[in-house]
Structure formats: C-alpha cells, structure tokens
Amino acid sequence: MKVLIVGGGGREHALAWKAIQSPLISELHVAPGNPGIGRFAWCHPHVKATDYDALADLAQKLHPDLVIIGPDDALAAGLADRLQALGIRVFGPTQAAARLEWSKDFAKEIMTKAGVPTAAYGSFTDYETARAYLELQGAPIVIKADGLALGKGVSVCQTMAEAEEALKAVMLDKAFGAAGAKVIMEELMEGEEVSLLCFSDGRTIKQMVAAQDHKRADDGDTGPNTGGMGTYAPVPAYTPDIARTVQKRILEPIIAAMANRGTPFVGCLFAGLMLTADGPKVVEFNARFGDPEAQVVLPLLQNDLLEVMTACLNGRLKEIDLRFRDNAAAVNIVLASPGYPGAYPKGLPIDGLDEADQLGVTVFHAGTAYDEEGMLVTSGGRVLGVMAMGADLPAALARAYLGVDAIQFEGKQFRRDIGWRSLSK
Ligand code: AMP
Ligand code: GLY
C-alpha cells in the first residue's frame, strides 16, 4: 500500500512509525513530515498541513491507497471530503462528522439527545443572556468557546470574578475570534481525566487502551495549560467495568446518532472522559488521534495499523480482533522549548539522539528542523517526545527518563512526574 500521512508533529511521527511496521506498506509519504520521520519515509516539507490546495495536488500526484489525516483543523476544513471527491480513500472523518470536535455546542446537543452522560450546560450567542445564566448558576463553572481555539478556549472558573472575566474575554473582547461567537457554560465535573481513542467504521466502535495526558506545564499539575507534556497508557483507574459502561452508554449511542443523521463517523474518535463519582462522563470529543496520546497508544497496539484502518473504511471493523500488549506500559515524556507555552527561542542545537536510541527508547519528533548547516535544531514549542515501554509503568518511566537525560538542548523543559496519579495509588 502507498500511504500518505498529513501532519508533521509527534502524533504523525507515531502514526508513521506504526504504519512503516505494516507488512502491507510499500511506500510511505508524509506532508509536511519532520526530520525524525524523514529517517524512514518520504517527507514533503513544502506541503504544509494547512495548505489544502497543495495537499490535494500532492494526493492527486501520488495517488496513494490511503491518506491518514492527523490534525483537527484539516478535518474541520473538510480535507477528507475533498480527497474523497478525488477518489482517494481517507482515514479521518468528513467535515460533517468532525463537527463532534469543531463545534462543542453540536457535541453537547447530540450527547443530550442520545442520553450520553456529560456536564449539564447552556449555550449562548448573546452576552446578556449568558450573563443571566451565569448569575443563576454561580461558580464554580466552566466557560468554553464553541469552536476550535487551539485548546485554549476553555476556562475552569472557581469564582464568579473569574467567570465574569472569562465570559467577557470570549464574548465581548473576542479573544478566540469566530470560535467564541457562541459560548458554552457547563457544570464543573470532578474526577480523574482519561483520554480514550477509538477506531470507528461508522457503525462499530472499538476502544484502544486508555491513556492519560498531563496538560499543565509544571510538576504537580501546576503552571499554564499546554498542548500536553506527557502521556502514559494503560490507565489503571480505567477498569474493565468502566470500559463496558463507556461502550454502552457513551460510544455506541454517539456512533448510532451520527449514522442516523446521515453523517457516520469513520476514523479515530477521541473521547475525553471524566471518571466522576457518578460514573464516566464526557468532557469533549475530538475527531482524531490525540497528541501526545497516539505516542503511547500506538506502540501498545499489536494489530497492523493499516489493516485496522482499511477495515474501518470497508465497514468491517467488527471482524477485527483489536489487541494491545498485555503486561506492558508505555510512557511519552515531552521535551519542550524554554518558555513554552509562552514565547520561546528557536534554532537551539539538539544533541544526544543517538545515545537515546541506544537506551531502547523511541524519540518522536515534533518541533525540530535542520538548520542551514544540516544540524538538528529546535523549531517549535513541543520539540521531542521520548517514548519507552516496560513491563509496568515504573519500568517504562525509568527507561524513558534515561532517554530524557541523554538528550540535550539549551533550556530543555519537561515534567519529572508523568504518571503520578497512577504511581500514588
Ligand atoms: P476541552 O478543550 O473541552 O477538553 O477542555 C480542556 C480541559 O478543561 C479539559 O481537559 C478538562 O481538564 C477541563 N474541563 C473542560 N470541561 C470541564 C468540565 N465540565 N469540568 C471540569 N473540567 C473541565
Ligand atoms: N492531548 C490532547 C489532544 O490531542 O487534544
């Protein structure tokens, strides 16, 4: 199979790393890709993941058997529809199905209709009405911009003052532009958060192993929110009992509701779940693999990724026996630029990747580039992910942190406490 992956971050590196292990692969292309992916696949660095014309041209030229779309904005913009119209098979939902991610209001509405457990909410386009709802509900409360806002459109407000400020920022100051034309206010849910990635063929949905992300920049879940500083899988708190409840009460009703609307969801459905005292509830849906969740879930997947994706496109996921490594854990520690998620320098030389390789870790690239002299340098906020597997979480962590120590760049920033929730039990 000739495969084209769209994207150039750590998630796409993990997808490419897994795809290249498939006996079905004959040629692997990634647009734009990154220096890590370039070691084993054809990268198209000039074709940006947001340049849909260039991507459509490339896909037409290559004629791949399968395109895998990584990033949310490409799905929201309808790249899957566009490629399908060219007769190209795509793993990734249509724009209408990806609406589960690009409109939080839509996701809430469909959950409510299908009786899926989620936080009670109100949605508003008018500031005064929203204010009145806030007065009625009081704090704590969660305020969200409706659209895609690079993961920054959500404020968890403990006090009324915080809530008033957040509401103003979204609705009056338009801090998130058009994404904030509509605002959602919802009940604060308490519990442990897990990321559940699932394969769906539009009718059947199968869960991957559950993962946990660490969104705050600093140890002990302090500091500003980031795109994710590290992940591990599996999550012991996500028990087989909870998995059965999630399947029956959340995943199957959502997949059925999307199919009944004539917009079946084919691709990776990512359910952000809160394990509350009243059972699992949905925080949000994403229409794609998580980043950095994919970096720990895909290494534990025993099936051939291309076989599973093809089964999804053929409506035959039911026939696939999805298997994950037993008695194994995977962790991915993110190495970020100094200052991230705020302003950060670029172009810092990176050393020690060969040493890390010899320690048995896998280094996924995210924000790296070659400079004019061909040296590997930093080029983004999240620079690298150091992934290791082990017989259990402590073993995987020990190995991953050896890899982290082997890699050097100025001001390297990372969390030392990935997995602390599970370790402290
Ligand atoms: P989202 O972009 O919807 O995933 O929200 C970002 C983060 O905000 C989530 O990962 C949660 O940690 C937090 N969050 C969102 N909604 C709620 C809620 N209703 N209750 C508690 N935390 C929430
Ligand atoms: N790690 C969270 C996300 O991919 O949205």
Side-chain angles (χ1 to χ4, degrees):
M1 279 173 83
K2 193 197 272 190
V3 175
L4 168 64
I5 298 176
V6 174
R11 163 182 54 206
E12 288 77 20
H13 191 163
L15 283 164
W17 172 87
K18 183 69 183 164
I20 202 81
Q21 295 171 34
S22 166
L24 299 173
I25 195 101
S26 57
E27 218 176 293
L28 179 59
H29 295 261
V30 188
N34 65 39
I37 299 171
R39 290 169 63 177
F40 61 90
W42 292 99
C43 288
H44 299 267
H46 302 296
V47 180
K48 302 289 175 241
T50 46
D51 187 346
Y52 310 124
D53 291 339
L55 284 165
D57 284 349
L58 179 67
Q60 249 177 326
K61 204 176 82 197
L62 293 173
H63 247 288
D65 302 295
L66 174 68
V67 177
I68 303 168
I69 301 177
D72 54 353
D73 37 9
L75 294 162
L79 182 62
D81 311 61
R82 188 159 166 185
L83 297 180
Q84 279 163 6
L86 297 170
I88 295 166
R89 308 196 81 196
V90 181
F91 183 86
T94 59
Q95 185 176 43
R99 194 170 173 197
L100 277 176
E101 172 164 10
W102 59 257
S103 170
K104 290 185 189 291
D105 186 39
F106 172 76
K108 288 302 257 188
E109 200 182 305
I110 212 158
M111 282 190 267
T112 308
K113 279 193 192 142
V116 167
T118 184
Y121 79 110
S123 92
F124 307 90
T125 48
D126 170 64
Y127 177 71
E128 290 309 324
T129 323
R131 260 308 309 247
Y133 181 84
L134 176 58
E135 287 295 333
L136 203 69
Q137 297 296 321
I141 195 161
V142 181
I143 298 184
K144 307 184 176 187
D146 176 53
L148 293 180
L150 298 168
K152 295 186 182 111
V154 176
S155 308
V156 176
C157 307
Q158 297 296 343
T159 66
M160 273 305 269
E162 277 170 41
E164 277 162 16
E165 198 178 312
L167 191 61
K168 270 201 197 120
V170 178
M171 296 196 89
L172 298 184
D173 307 340
K174 311 231 176 329
F176 308 104
K182 200 183 259 179
V183 74
I184 313 285
M185 278 188 270
E186 64 179 41
E187 160 205 1
L188 180 82
M189 297 186 285
E190 278 175 295
E192 194 161 335
E193 223 175 320
V194 302
S195 299
L196 185 68
L197 310 188
C198 309
F199 286 108
S200 171
D201 69 2
R203 285 177 304 177
T204 300
I205 181 157
K206 294 199 174 182
Q207 304 184 27
M208 297 183 226
V209 61
Q212 194 163 58
D213 194 4
H214 299 67
K215 293 192 188 215
R216 301 297 198 97
D218 304 320
D219 285 1
D221 286 341
T222 58
N225 262 319
T226 70
M229 292 299 288
T231 37
Y232 70 98
V235 182
Y238 191 77
T239 61
D241 249 6
I242 296 177
R244 274 188 289 275
T245 305
V246 167
Q247 189 70 19
K248 289 281 164 258
R249 296 218 45 211
I250 296 174
L251 301 175
E252 287 173 3
I254 287 295
I255 288 303
M258 292 303 284
N260 290 340
R261 296 180 78 254
T263 56
F265 188 98
V266 179
C268 174
L269 182 68
F270 168 161
L273 301 173
M274 193 74 85
L275 308 183
T276 75
D278 302 329
K281 294 187 180 180
V282 177
V283 178
E284 62 161 355
F285 286 115
N286 295 314
R288 51 170 175 86
F289 286 89
D291 188 346
E293 283 86 348
Q295 290 92 311
V296 290
V297 170
L298 294 172
L300 295 174
L301 176 65
Q302 288 181 308
N303 303 68
D304 172 352
L305 180 67
L306 300 184
E307 191 188 336
V308 177
M309 288 184 167
T310 303
C312 288
L313 300 193
N314 293 341
R316 304 181 78 151
L317 181 59
K318 212 172 183 168
E319 296 165 20
I320 298 280
D321 175 24
L322 211 55
R323 284 171 287 107
F324 290 86
R325 285 173 194 252
D326 281 328
N327 305 318
V331 306
N332 181 71
I333 317 289
V334 170
L335 304 184
S337 294
Y340 173 78
Y344 53 82
K346 290 185 184 180
L348 305 170
I350 303 171
D351 276 321
L353 290 188
D354 291 339
E355 288 81 348
D357 272 348
Q358 283 161 18
L359 294 167
V361 302
T362 301
V363 180
F364 293 123
H365 290 229
T368 65
Y370 290 116
D371 70 5
E372 281 132 36
E373 278 125 50
M375 269 229 306
L376 189 71
V377 297
T378 65
S379 74
R382 291 187 290 177
V383 178
L384 298 164
V386 180
M387 189 280 291
M389 286 187 272
D392 55 19
L393 181 59
L397 283 166
R399 179 173 293 174
Y401 279 112
L402 283 178
V404 166
D405 289 338
I407 298 170
Q408 306 303 334
F409 58 86
E410 202 185 311
K412 173 182 86 177
Q413 182 194 333
F414 63 97
R415 279 184 58 167
R416 294 201 172 267
D417 65 344
I418 299 304
W420 69 270
R421 280 178 196 277
S422 288
L423 294 176
S424 63
K425 279 185 186 128

